[in-house]
Amino acid sequence: MELLRFFTAGNVDDGKSTLIGRLLYDSKSISTDILETLTKQSKSTGVDADIDLALLTDGLRAEREQGITIDVAYKYFTTDKRKFIIADTPGHVQYTRNMFTGASNTDLAIVLVDARHGITEQTRRHSIISNIVGIPHVLVCINKMDLVNYDEEVYNQIKADYTHFAESLNLKKVSFIPTSALTGDNVVKHSENLKWYQGPSLFEFLETVEIEQDFKTQEARFQVQYVIRPQTEELHDYRGYAGSILSGSFKKGDKIAVHPVDLTTTIEKIEKFGQEVEEAHAGEPVIIHVADNIDISRGTTFVPNTTFVPNTTFVPNTISITDGNTIHTPSQSIQTEKTFEAIVCWMDNKSFQPGQKLLLQQNSFRSKAVIKEIDNKINIYNFKSEPSDGSLHLNDFCKVTIKTAETLSFDEYANNRKTGSFILINENTNNTVAAGVITS
Amino acid sequence: MLHCNIPIKKDVAQQHPIINPKTQKKVDYLDQLEAEAIYILREVAGQFERPALLFSGGKDSICLVHLALKAFRPGKFPFPLVHVDTGHNFPEAIEYRDNLAKELEEKLIVRYVADTIKEKNLQDGKGKFPSRNGLQTYTLLDVINEFEFDACIGGARRDEEKARAKERIFSVRDEFGQWDPKKQRPELWNIYNGKIDQGENVRVFPISNWTELDVWNYIKRENIQLPSIYFTHERECIKTEHGQWMNVNEFVQLEPTDKIEKVKVRYRTVGDMTCTAAVESEAHTVDDIIAELKDTKISERGATRMDDRVSEAAMEDRKKGGYF
């Protein structure tokens, strides 16, 4: 069985929570005791339905009282084919950071569009965020079809509008499905009302959509999380580097370059759960032993010490970094720099202060860092670059130049989501104040 | 529950161009969940000075220990196992705990709620089912202070309860152990920010993304041994007003109207004997349990916990007070 992680984006009134509630309800993932509680609550909120499905995804009392979602909530359901993890994120513009957070490690974005209103500013914003975070696949759910008499014309028009808009982005894959979350049309079951639609229901789509596994074909990357040194009598000289293969594969005997110290060595042994293995692949937690005694610690990156020959089937994931007309094609080999450019999303309530002391964290690597320059601001409604006034406020997306104290080993995010992403931590408050994707 | 039977048209893949009909080698979801949990455990080892693994003797924390073996062997665990013993634990769970620590040669720290009650002159639980659920938070905070733990790993899962569904994997608590849902740090990709000030600690939940069924499927796959009370056995019980089976033991205050019955039960969760209900079951094996769970209509906490019934926001409130 496979795992699919997806996130949902939509306006407050697009029926996002109802849609998720419907998925959980119709897939029989809700227990009777929870349904009982919901029936009680639905009565007290006065919603005119037996059960207000939206209540299924509202968690905290504070949210229930205000009727809003303040955070990312995770929901789970399982079918015979897949386990699903849903990151349910709020739609309001003031929760852009939550959306970015929820989207960061998902395979699929579901963007909800109200069939009555078509593409709105919010649709654009949600899609642009999906684009920046590099979601492999966007599904546009044209919802509330019941309120437009299940009209095929309406669906086709929205589909055309969205396709036109998406041309200015570099979304890798876009799909469309007409639904009504409230009535359940085409969510789990095919609908009599939408006979003109030949594609899968949302549920069938989720069960069968191909899960992107780019990281398997990318160049090999490994980062040390923790050094295992038992220092017992029988394991006196044991020194293993524990971590997960971030992308690609490593084999016993591979010549590797170790960054940032920039030394080369050979993989002597790969262990997985106490067993020696010949080869390890993206995603696997392993312990790697190397031939030479060199300075390796937490945050050290291993890469192949060869020129990378791209797999013939490999299509680089590209994102546009200025506006729709400029496609940036990333390079393939690891970069080791102290200065680089990135798009950051500012996530702290307090705005950025010039000279603010920050820590950059990329996987397990940490270094002191500063934002040297705010190059320009990205308009999240049209993806155009605008001149920056030098400020960075909550939910802003800006193109910045970052300087780190230690040398960072990275790939451009478009090339590798694992080594091209980072967070910025305020050294004073310890809060995560920004998330970024490296562009060059 | 967690199972659906919908007719899938066989030609869906052909109908829709985006669906790749090719069958490719797929990574199993349990491998992914396992890898994520091990990654998180290693992050704890790498980021903190004095972490601890909170061990309850329940299946979730038993899975955590199993994952820690995979993350750190042949090294020792970079943390001790810590158990807050309420005095109301099932003897089978305590026995399992002691044997496990001995067998693995890992350090086990046990602190007793009874001692905290004495030291702090606290009011013990009262009533028919005297709960020490609130009281264990005191002992937990004390043991965190005593050893200056900066990270406590726990087996909580997001599918258990809706306040948990919104908690981060690295959940920062202030010096009073309090959770503030509005001040949570954004958690992106697989980057975990465990940076804290002196006196603060982080609660870490490596199996956040697992469901009850995932845990059982993992137990089956890995052949993990569990305390016997997870499987069917005959037990003297009384039925509560909510129709739950409660074990008759020295702590429960029987009333004249209570009818003691011998019932075939098992436990879905292992908490205190005073607030964990048993479920009627004939499940002898892990396979039986998985089959049973696929059929059941009641959630894990709904079936077994009396402590969440108090109010809609019971868990949210307890977490804000320092609870797990």
Side-chain angles (χ1 to χ4, degrees):
Chain A
M1 197 157 73
E2 293 176 300
L3 178 64
L4 178 78
R5 296 173 193 253
F6 65 94
F7 94 103
T8 50
N11 264 341
V12 202
D13 302 320
D14 287 343
K16 180 171 59 66
S17 295
T18 309
L19 185 84
I20 295 175
R22 174 63 67 184
L23 275 176
L24 299 176
Y25 184 73
D26 284 0
S27 65
K28 302 184 173 57
S29 307
I30 302 162
S31 319
T32 45
D33 56 317
I34 293 170
L35 275 179
E36 253 175 58
T37 316
L38 277 175
T39 316
K40 269 188 241 156
Q41 278 179 44
S42 300
K43 280 177 188 150
S44 69
T45 55
V47 172
D48 188 24
D50 289 329
I51 295 162
D52 180 1
L53 291 170
L55 288 172
L56 275 172
T57 56
D58 289 346
L60 308 176
R61 180 168 48 199
E63 294 169 285
R64 285 197 297 278
E65 283 166 2
Q66 296 165 38
I68 52 152
T69 320
I70 57 166
D71 212 305
V72 188
Y74 295 90
K75 292 280 162 189
Y76 306 86
F77 68 102
T78 305
T79 70
D80 290 336
K81 292 206 174 73
R82 282 182 175 168
K83 172 186 167 87
F84 298 93
I85 301 181
I86 314 174
D88 180 24
T89 61
H92 313 246
V93 64
Q94 65 265 40
Y95 299 121
T96 293
R97 65 168 163 185
N98 302 73
M99 185 173 301
F100 197 77
T101 302
S104 69
N105 60 19
T106 54
D107 311 298
L108 173 78
I110 299 183
V111 174
L112 258 99
V113 174
D114 186 328
R116 293 171 304 172
H117 304 136
I119 310 292
T120 62
E121 285 212 316
Q122 307 312 322
T123 316
R124 293 197 185 90
R125 185 169 58 83
H126 300 153
S127 306
I128 286 165
I129 292 168
S130 302
N131 191 34
I132 294 173
V133 85
I135 305 256
H137 198 146
V138 171
L139 171 68
V140 182
C141 238
I142 301 171
N143 195 32
K144 302 203 180 180
M145 287 302 293
D146 55 317
L147 299 181
V148 295
N149 297 318
Y150 303 100
D151 189 349
E152 187 179 3
E153 279 300 295
V154 173
Y155 170 77
N156 285 336
Q157 186 58 49
I158 294 172
K159 194 173 159 182
D161 290 348
Y162 191 90
T163 307
H164 176 71
F165 154 71
E167 277 164 13
S168 64
L169 305 179
N170 295 290
L171 296 172
K172 288 179 72 186
K173 278 182 191 163
V174 182
S175 305
F176 301 88
I177 291 182
T179 56
S180 167
L182 195 69
T183 59
D185 287 299
N186 212 23
V187 176
V188 173
K189 297 185 202 95
H190 285 258
S191 165
E192 284 296 302
N193 298 317
L194 295 161
K195 271 186 176 157
W196 46 265
Y197 168 76
Q198 295 301 310
S201 69
L202 174 59
F203 213 84
E204 291 167 344
F205 175 89
L206 292 173
E207 279 199 318
T208 49
V209 62
E210 192 189 347
I211 301 169
E212 280 292 329
Q213 299 191 321
D214 269 1
F215 55 88
K216 284 190 170 172
T217 52
Q218 286 160 352
E219 198 179 357
R221 301 283 182 258
F222 172 85
Q223 207 185 58
V224 178
Q225 287 186 276
Y226 182 69
V227 183
I228 294 180
R229 295 199 64 191
Q231 291 175 307
T232 54
E233 257 175 57
E234 62 271 35
L235 293 167
H236 190 70
D237 294 322
Y238 186 102
R239 189 181 178 91
Y241 302 108
S244 289
I245 310 284
L246 299 174
S247 61
S249 311
F250 284 96
K251 280 199 305 290
K252 182 181 175 177
D254 274 357
K255 299 261 180 290
I256 54 164
V258 175
H259 292 295
V261 286
D262 205 14
L263 292 167
T264 57
T265 184
T266 307
I267 293 181
E268 198 176 58
K269 187 161 86 169
I270 303 175
E271 281 179 282
K272 191 180 176 190
F273 310 150
Q275 307 267 320
E276 198 177 333
V277 293
E278 285 299 306
E279 200 173 354
H281 309 278
E284 291 185 61
V286 290
I287 299 172
I288 293 182
H289 299 255
V290 300
D292 303 284
N293 189 8
I294 50 180
D295 180 21
I296 293 171
S297 56
R298 180 174 157 80
T300 300
T301 301
F302 295 179
V303 305
N305 187 31
T306 47
T307 322
F308 177 60
V309 183
N311 185 318
T312 44
T313 59
F314 176 75
V315 182
N317 178 0
T318 54
I319 60 168
S320 139
I321 53 165
T322 50
D323 59 35
N325 299 322
T326 315
I327 310 283
H328 181 78
T329 307
S331 62
Q332 301 287 336
S333 58
I334 193 109
Q335 302 187 48
T336 50
E337 304 283 346
K338 286 185 175 174
T339 305
F340 58 89
E341 287 178 353
I343 294 173
V344 296
C345 171
W346 194 255
M347 300 195 157
D348 201 23
N349 291 323
K350 287 186 198 136
S351 302
F352 168 74
Q353 301 294 317
Q356 193 169 13
K357 285 187 174 172
L358 300 167
L359 283 174
L360 176 140
Q361 186 176 343
Q362 172 225 38
N363 300 305
S364 306
F365 172 88
R366 258 190 209 165
S367 164
K368 283 181 188 288
V370 289
I371 296 178
K372 260 183 67 185
E373 221 161 310
I374 301 171
D375 304 320
N376 38 48
K377 193 174 164 175
I378 294 165
N379 182 322
I380 52 168
Y381 294 102
N382 60 20
F383 205 39
K384 295 255 193 303
S385 293
E386 293 169 355
S388 163
D389 61 0
S391 67
L392 254 176
H393 304 297
L394 179 64
N395 298 321
D396 278 355
F397 281 86
C398 287
K399 185 133 176 272
V400 299
T401 305
I402 291 176
K403 191 169 190 302
T404 51
E406 318 293 328
T407 305
L408 178 70
S409 314
F410 64 89
D411 294 278
E412 287 152 31
Y413 187 75
N415 224 4
N416 194 319
R417 281 171 87 177
K418 296 277 186 193
T419 53
S421 54
F422 63 87
I423 60 169
L424 294 175
I425 301 166
N426 181 323
E427 247 199 323
N428 179 239
T429 62
N430 298 328
N431 283 333
T432 302
V433 293
V437 299
I438 300 174
T439 53
S440 62
Chain B
M1 182 187 138
L2 301 170
H3 213 68
C4 77
N5 294 301
I6 55 158
I8 300 284
K9 284 188 193 163
K10 283 209 175 95
D11 53 349
V12 161
Q14 278 76 45
Q15 282 177 9
H16 216 258
I18 50 85
I19 295 165
N20 185 355
K22 272 188 301 188
T23 44
Q24 41 180 219
K25 193 176 171 272
K26 285 159 183 166
V27 181
D28 188 61
Y29 82 108
L30 285 177
D31 289 329
Q32 283 173 272
L33 292 176
E34 177 187 66
E36 180 182 70
I38 290 170
Y39 185 87
I40 293 161
L41 286 171
R42 287 172 170 174
E43 278 305 287
V44 173
Q47 290 197 31
F48 297 94
E49 299 283 324
R50 289 173 304 280
L53 189 151
L54 298 190
F55 185 79
S56 69
K59 65 181 189 315
D60 299 319
S61 59
I62 291 169
C63 279
L64 282 183
V65 169
H66 186 81
L67 290 160
L69 287 168
K70 289 196 166 193
F72 301 112
R73 286 291 188 257
K76 293 286 256 184
F77 290 177
F79 38 70
L81 309 180
V82 172
H83 184 229
V84 173
D85 190 331
T86 58
H88 291 175
N89 297 91
F90 288 94
E92 293 89 342
I94 298 296
E95 194 191 329
Y96 183 98
R97 172 197 80 188
D98 294 339
N99 288 339
L100 184 77
K102 215 164 123 191
E103 195 188 308
L104 301 181
E105 297 181 9
E106 293 291 346
K107 190 176 174 190
L108 171 70
I109 296 169
V110 182
R111 288 295 177 271
Y112 299 90
V113 172
D115 292 342
T116 315
I117 293 173
K118 246 185 256 163
E119 276 165 32
K120 294 192 155 52
N121 204 11
L122 298 170
Q123 177 75 57
D124 202 349
K126 275 188 185 167
K128 184 170 183 177
F129 302 105
S131 171
R132 284 181 168 173
N133 207 311
L135 292 165
Q136 64 181 334
T137 302
Y138 291 97
T139 316
L140 173 62
L141 297 181
D142 282 354
V143 71
I144 289 172
N145 282 337
E146 181 185 348
F147 293 93
E148 296 179 2
F149 292 131
D150 48 5
C152 296
I153 303 160
R157 310 187 319 264
R158 284 172 177 154
D159 79 320
E160 285 179 77
E161 206 280 332
K162 46 194 176 177
R164 293 215 198 276
K166 303 221 164 173
E167 191 164 10
R168 301 288 186 258
I169 289 173
F170 271 44
S171 179
V172 180
R173 303 297 181 94
D174 66 12
E175 24 185 338
F176 306 100
Q178 297 182 104
W179 178 58
D180 184 346
K182 288 190 175 176
K183 279 194 190 158
Q184 300 200 89
R185 293 174 183 173
E187 208 156 73
L188 295 107
W189 297 287
N190 57 340
I191 308 176
Y192 300 100
N193 172 9
K195 199 167 179 296
I196 47 169
D197 282 332
Q198 192 80 31
E200 291 178 330
N201 65 84
V202 179
R203 307 286 169 88
V204 180
F205 305 113
I207 59 167
S208 285
N209 287 326
W210 300 37
T211 61
E212 184 185 15
L213 196 56
D214 297 336
V215 170
W216 282 106
N217 281 324
Y218 189 69
I219 287 167
K220 179 186 167 185
R221 191 183 86 166
E222 301 289 310
N223 193 20
I224 298 171
Q225 300 307 303
L226 293 176
S228 57
I229 54 174
Y230 277 108
F231 302 94
T232 185
H233 56 282
E234 213 170 55
R235 191 174 276 270
E236 287 197 334
C237 293
I238 54 169
K239 204 166 211 168
T240 70
E241 51 182 320
H242 300 294
Q244 294 176 312
W245 288 111
M246 291 299 292
N247 168 39
V248 175
N249 56 59
E250 61 200 286
F251 310 109
V252 174
Q253 313 289 314
L254 289 178
E255 288 164 8
T257 51
D258 284 327
K259 205 172 106 202
I260 298 175
E261 293 176 63
K262 273 202 169 172
V263 203
K264 280 207 159 174
V265 293
R266 70 174 202 90
Y267 283 89
R268 259 174 98 177
T269 64
V270 171
D272 279 2
M273 285 195 280
T274 48
C275 62
T276 313
V279 291
E280 278 183 64
S281 171
E282 297 275 348
H284 290 278
T285 63
V286 174
D287 279 322
D288 294 344
I289 290 173
I290 291 171
E292 191 182 277
L293 286 176
K294 283 183 173 172
D295 273 342
T296 188
K297 293 277 175 280
I298 302 181
S299 75
E300 186 178 22
R301 292 194 85 85
T304 64
R305 290 304 175 100
M306 298 180 77
D307 39 326
D308 283 339
R309 288 191 165 260
V310 184
S311 86
E312 231 345 81
M315 177 67 88
E316 187 178 342
D317 291 340
R318 279 187 291 150
K319 274 184 177 295
K320 285 179 181 167
Y323 186 74
F324 241 82

